[in-house]
Amino acid sequence: MTQQKQAQKRSLGFYSADPAQHTLLEDTQGLATGALVAALGFYFLNQVGLLTGGTAGVAFLLHYAFGISFGFLFFIVNLPFYYLSFRRLGLAFSFKTFIAIGLVSVITEIEQKFLLIQYLHPAWGALLGGLLLGYGLLALYRHRASLGGVGILAIYIQEHFAIQAGLVQLAFDICVMICAFFVVSLEIVIWSVLGAVVLNIFLAINHRSDRYIVVR
């Protein structure tokens, strides 16, 4: 059997021979495990009252301010960005992102029934939460999905108003942290910033365009 036929056979089975393509099974396990790990990261942050950037940060703010379920808020806050995602990144990416966010929203609501933490220092919660979110996002990125719409909005603004996407994302996260002062203590904001820094450094080191391709 030629290498081409062998590769074709593998691509129709459990895994793909092309590193830039995935089978349905690969995508399914990637989305499931990425969502599970990310939800665990949110759980650690939530246990010590921390928050993070992006739409998850907005969901945490509303959760702490009004006592509404974080999982529900996380799903609702991301709804306005799906249309923009569909227009900019296509149906496949948008659908996978919708599934990933839905999974995270559900898992964050049920995992407290299976996991109980008696004590967790905010610094350790920020470190573990940031790392787990990084691992979860990395898995989702690898399978062309994400967990939020702010990045998509940042790309849109960059293309239409010539403002760098990174600056847009940074400005949004700063606004989230400023709003946090009205909801949580200064100490919690500081630890939350630590968690966000850990997350972004992890992604900056490990998420490279020549290794992990979100959209081709």
Side-chain angles (χ1 to χ4, degrees):
M1 185 179 293
T2 65
Q3 288 186 342
Q4 183 177 4
K5 289 183 178 180
Q6 289 178 341
Q8 183 178 10
K9 183 177 180 180
R10 287 195 296 268
S11 67
L12 295 174
F14 292 105
Y15 68 97
S16 172
D18 183 353
Q21 300 293 330
H22 297 98
T23 64
L24 177 60
L25 178 62
E26 288 176 319
D27 277 340
T28 300
Q29 65 82 30
L31 294 178
T33 55
L36 182 63
V37 174
L40 185 59
F42 285 138
Y43 180 77
F44 276 103
L45 295 177
N46 195 18
Q47 284 296 295
V48 285
L50 302 183
L51 36 74
T52 186
T55 51
V58 175
F60 270 126
L61 279 176
L62 296 175
H63 168 63
Y64 295 143
F66 303 105
I68 304 173
S69 160
F70 169 77
F72 173 76
L73 288 170
F74 183 60
F75 184 81
I76 295 299
V77 167
N78 277 290
L79 286 178
F81 297 99
Y82 288 127
Y83 174 74
L84 189 59
S85 173
F86 172 72
R87 291 293 300 273
R88 284 288 306 120
L89 301 175
L91 177 61
F93 177 87
S94 302
F95 179 73
K96 291 178 184 178
T97 297
F98 181 84
I99 295 298
I101 292 175
L103 285 173
V104 169
S105 299
V106 171
I107 294 171
T108 53
E109 291 305 302
I110 66 173
E111 64 186 338
Q112 57 187 338
K113 298 179 180 180
F114 303 96
L115 177 63
L116 178 62
I117 298 177
Q118 293 184 337
Y119 175 76
L120 180 64
H121 192 280
W124 199 241
L127 176 62
L128 290 179
L131 287 176
L132 288 167
L133 278 175
Y135 276 106
L137 283 170
L138 200 62
L140 294 175
Y141 289 163
R142 187 66 180 91
H143 292 269
R144 297 179 188 141
S146 72
L147 274 185
V150 177
I152 301 169
L153 178 62
I155 294 173
Y156 177 84
I157 292 176
Q158 176 176 278
E159 292 184 350
H160 287 77
F161 301 99
I163 302 175
Q164 292 184 5
L167 293 178
V168 176
Q169 182 90 45
L170 177 62
F172 186 92
D173 290 346
I174 289 175
C175 288
V176 170
M177 293 302 171
I178 291 175
C179 292
F181 284 106
F182 298 96
V183 179
V184 297
S185 66
L186 174 61
E187 180 184 4
I188 291 299
V189 175
I190 292 174
W191 292 127
S192 297
V193 171
L194 172 62
V197 169
V198 169
L199 166 62
N200 285 284
I201 290 178
F202 177 86
L203 289 178
I205 294 174
N206 294 283
H207 179 53
R208 288 171 43 183
S209 59
D210 58 336
R211 290 181 179 174
Y212 300 98
I213 306 169
V214 179
V215 179
R216 297 189 71 177

